[in-house]
Amino acid sequence: MKKRNIILLSLFIVGLLYAKTEKDKTKNKLPNVVLILADDFGYGDISAHQSDSKIETPALDKLVISGLSFSNAHAASSVCTPSRYSLLTGRYSWRSKLQSGVLFGYDLPLIQNEYTLGKMFKEKGYATASIGKWHLGLPWQLKETSNYKKRTQKKIFFNVLAKEKDVDLTASFTDTTWHHKIGFDYFYGTSASLDMPPYVMVENGGLSAPLTHSINDSGPSELYNKGIWRGGPAAENFDHNDVLPDIVQKTASFIKENKDQPFFVYMPITAPHTPWLPDEKFKGKSNAGKYGDFLYMVDDVVAQVMKSLKENGVEENTIVIFTSDNGAPLKNIQKYGGNGHHANAHFRGQKGDLYEGGHHIPLVMHWPKGIKAKQKSNDLIVLTDILSTLSDIIGGDVPSGQAEDSHSFAKVIHQEADFEPRKTAVYHSQVGLFAIQSGEWKLIENLGSGGFSKPRFVESEPKHPNKQLYNLSIDPQEFDNRVVDTPEVAEELQQLLDDIRKHQTIN
């Protein structure tokens, strides 16, 4: 009897030691990271951000309630490509060759030798994936007749972008391991926005199907308000409606396949950028037109990702980040529906602009193991800061001279009192104009929006100011230009901006 008791006691102790070992393993395990980047999603498109919201986003609202939300987060640029460059590299986009606008579907890679989020996670042993809209150029094979490289040798702007005639669409990529070199084990996505050809999914080192067909310009649609894309080459079975569900499915599969090791998924979804293509089950669900219905689909994407994490037992130690590349394009929403929905909340302006509506974006972080519920921060954050922040969390080592515009806010996440917030931020517009924020003050280096809102440019009259200065603490809507009555602040900010630009290094 005593011998039996000793055996049972021994088994019990072994069990306790095993449980403790497994618990310690979980405790010390590096967190997974899923970074969801919405496309043209405004600060007001999360219903929790507006008390009188016209739409409902329950999955996103749950992230806000259960995690950490930032009310003063910004994209470094107010349009797609440069914003994505800044997020992945921790560098202001104007430090690259791209000086204005965005790339299109046929352009060569903008990221060359820069350190990236993908590289950082690979160095720490993560499985990595980029699944969604890329919009940062691909290693296309140029035709011998193309002078694209000569056109873009020093700078890239709208007039020098690659055209279909520049690229041999029947040839393989010049580098079939290009995605590995920027840090991703797996790549699946579109070359650019869903309204830009070529229409084919890229998977790892090449196209998933040959470009044997073409799609015509969609034009405006009488049915359900709007659906616009440019015509161009396409794969045989390409369907715009399939892309967003495919991104979700590929992400869920990657999570399942890598649940037993640390993983990083960069998930730049294609919505709610045009074409607005809500699934049938979301049509008519909102009271904010087709755009509102599409927001319901975006929210459902978040819900599906959270479901996948939970089903695979990894939600507790996964950092889910939801943010956007820039503000929402208000002119389309107002023209084709919306019914009073304020996509950019109370902020002036829209996508492309230097006004807050162009770059003031949502940023929400959910991490049950590391972030307490119902946390809020008003610290100044720029998407460039994501790289250094995640590096600090996983114990990464950013090389000297890389990610020079990235300021870690990991101490905000850990609720450490000695956090020193970012003091300044530089913003870049659709046409390549600049603004700088320092504390409560923001200087726009021109008159007009600098983007899609009219007037884009305003010529200053003789002896009149040619800049805009706003005190965001008392005038977040940017209607009271203070440049005349506080010229010393404008001069100080202008000098600060000039000093930052002196250290520009183009890749």
Side-chain angles (χ1 to χ4, degrees):
M1 187 69 179
K2 289 183 179 180
K3 184 177 180 180
R4 181 172 178 272
N5 289 340
I6 292 171
I7 293 173
L8 290 174
L9 180 62
S10 299
L11 290 173
F12 178 71
I13 292 172
V14 169
L16 286 177
L17 291 173
Y18 176 80
K20 183 179 185 304
T21 301
E22 291 301 305
K23 186 176 181 180
D24 288 343
K25 283 182 180 179
T26 302
K27 183 178 180 181
N28 297 323
K29 185 180 178 183
L30 291 170
N32 309 305
V33 178
V34 178
L35 173 51
I36 305 173
L37 182 70
D39 195 1
D40 290 4
F41 188 101
Y43 182 82
D45 283 334
I46 294 180
S47 57
H49 287 170
Q50 299 193 75
S51 59
D52 58 346
S53 178
K54 300 293 183 181
I55 49 94
E56 295 180 4
T57 54
L60 284 166
D61 290 355
K62 188 175 180 180
L63 289 189
V64 171
I65 295 170
S66 64
L68 171 61
S69 60
F70 296 85
S71 60
N72 196 16
H74 301 260
S77 174
S78 55
V79 282
C80 295
T81 300
S83 179
R84 291 156 196 271
Y85 173 89
S86 296
L87 171 63
L88 288 176
T89 66
R91 306 177 79 226
Y92 286 133
S93 58
W94 44 267
R95 299 191 191 279
S96 74
K97 287 184 180 180
L98 185 64
Q99 299 299 294
S100 64
V102 302
L103 299 184
F104 270 55
Y106 303 112
D107 286 290
L108 298 187
L110 182 63
I111 296 176
Q112 297 293 326
N113 301 312
E114 294 91 333
Y115 192 68
T116 66
L117 277 170
K119 287 182 180 179
M120 181 187 77
F121 281 104
K122 281 307 301 174
E123 289 177 354
K124 295 297 291 184
Y126 278 66
T128 60
S130 175
I131 304 174
K133 169 183 167 177
W134 182 236
H135 213 169
L136 285 162
L138 295 169
W140 299 103
Q141 178 68 58
L142 296 177
K143 294 179 180 177
E144 292 184 4
T145 55
S146 172
N147 66 348
Y148 174 80
K149 287 189 176 180
K150 182 179 180 181
R151 300 197 309 262
T152 60
Q153 186 173 5
K154 294 183 178 179
K155 293 183 178 181
I156 301 175
F157 46 89
F158 184 78
N159 291 335
V160 301
L161 295 178
K163 309 294 190 296
E164 182 183 341
K165 64 182 180 181
D166 286 304
V167 179
D168 184 352
L169 297 176
T170 64
S172 301
F173 283 170
T174 58
D175 183 356
T176 57
T177 62
W178 68 277
H179 55 297
H180 292 158
K181 293 176 181 178
I182 52 177
F184 294 110
D185 297 321
Y186 179 69
F187 181 93
Y188 181 84
T190 60
S191 64
S193 299
L194 261 187
D195 59 355
M196 298 177 179
Y199 298 114
V200 61
M201 302 308 292
V202 179
E203 188 160 23
N204 291 329
L207 305 184
S208 62
L211 293 164
T212 55
H213 289 61
S214 64
I215 291 177
N216 295 326
D217 288 345
S218 66
S221 172
E222 292 293 331
L223 178 65
Y224 223 73
N225 302 333
K226 180 184 172 91
I228 291 179
W229 55 75
R230 301 164 180 84
E236 180 178 5
N237 296 317
F238 184 88
D239 186 334
H240 286 79
N241 293 279
D242 293 337
V243 175
L244 187 55
D246 281 352
I247 291 170
V248 176
Q249 186 274 319
K250 293 287 186 181
T251 299
S253 295
F254 188 85
I255 291 170
K256 183 177 182 179
E257 291 165 6
N258 295 280
K259 64 182 180 180
D260 295 325
Q261 63 176 316
F263 60 79
F264 167 60
V265 182
Y266 170 55
M267 187 185 182
I269 62 177
T270 52
H273 191 292
T274 53
W276 297 333
L277 299 169
D279 188 83
E280 285 295 327
K281 64 181 178 180
F282 300 107
K283 290 183 178 181
K285 188 171 183 179
S286 79
N287 62 351
K290 189 175 184 182
Y291 180 79
D293 293 351
F294 210 18
L295 291 179
Y296 273 68
M297 190 169 179
V298 171
D299 189 70
D300 186 66
V301 166
V302 175
Q304 290 184 65
V305 170
M306 299 307 296
K307 180 181 178 183
S308 178
L309 294 171
K310 186 173 183 179
E311 288 179 345
N312 287 285
V314 294
E315 181 186 5
E316 186 72 15
N317 196 31
T318 297
I319 301 172
V320 177
I321 303 172
F322 180 89
T323 188
S324 177
D325 59 349
N326 46 250
L330 299 185
K331 62 179 182 180
N332 289 336
I333 297 170
Q334 292 167 351
K335 185 176 180 181
Y336 294 99
N339 300 335
H341 170 61
H342 300 295
N344 292 326
H346 60 283
F347 298 119
R348 181 182 183 182
Q350 60 179 317
K351 170 184 178 178
D353 295 354
L354 286 174
Y355 297 128
E356 290 290 290
H359 53 81
H360 198 131
I361 55 171
L363 175 60
V364 184
M365 299 183 71
H366 170 88
W367 181 21
K369 182 181 174 183
I371 297 176
K372 293 182 179 179
K374 299 181 181 179
Q375 298 299 307
K376 295 182 180 180
S377 170
N378 191 42
D379 293 304
L380 177 61
I381 305 293
V382 181
L383 286 187
T384 54
D385 301 337
I386 296 290
L387 191 150
S388 289
T389 301
L390 293 176
S391 179
D392 282 353
I393 290 173
I394 69 171
D397 186 15
V398 179
S400 176
Q402 296 286 344
E404 60 264 52
D405 303 306
S406 191
H407 182 87
S408 174
F409 57 89
K411 288 187 176 182
V412 175
I413 294 171
H414 298 315
Q415 295 185 300
E416 296 179 19
D418 60 339
F419 172 65
E420 293 185 8
R422 166 188 279 275
K423 294 181 173 60
T424 62
V426 176
Y427 310 123
H428 205 219
S429 81
Q430 181 250 346
V431 295
L433 298 176
F434 288 86
I436 184 169
Q437 180 178 348
S438 180
E440 63 188 8
W441 291 100
K442 176 181 173 183
L443 178 75
I444 298 178
E445 203 181 27
N446 59 278
L447 299 177
S449 72
F452 294 123
S453 293
K454 296 179 181 179
R456 173 183 289 179
F457 304 109
V458 176
E459 292 292 333
S460 62
E461 298 179 9
K463 297 183 180 181
H464 282 71
N466 60 356
K467 297 179 175 66
Q468 301 173 73
L469 178 68
Y470 300 104
N471 186 321
L472 297 176
S473 65
I474 59 175
D475 180 28
Q477 294 180 306
E478 300 173 288
F479 286 127
D480 183 16
N481 187 354
R482 302 285 299 280
V483 73
V484 173
D485 58 356
T486 50
E488 69 284 356
V489 175
E491 291 172 9
E492 182 181 341
L493 289 181
Q494 184 65 64
Q495 185 61 56
L496 183 58
L497 177 58
D498 292 342
D499 289 344
I500 293 173
R501 285 186 296 204
K502 283 179 183 177
H503 301 288
Q504 178 177 355
T505 53
I506 296 178
N507 61 2

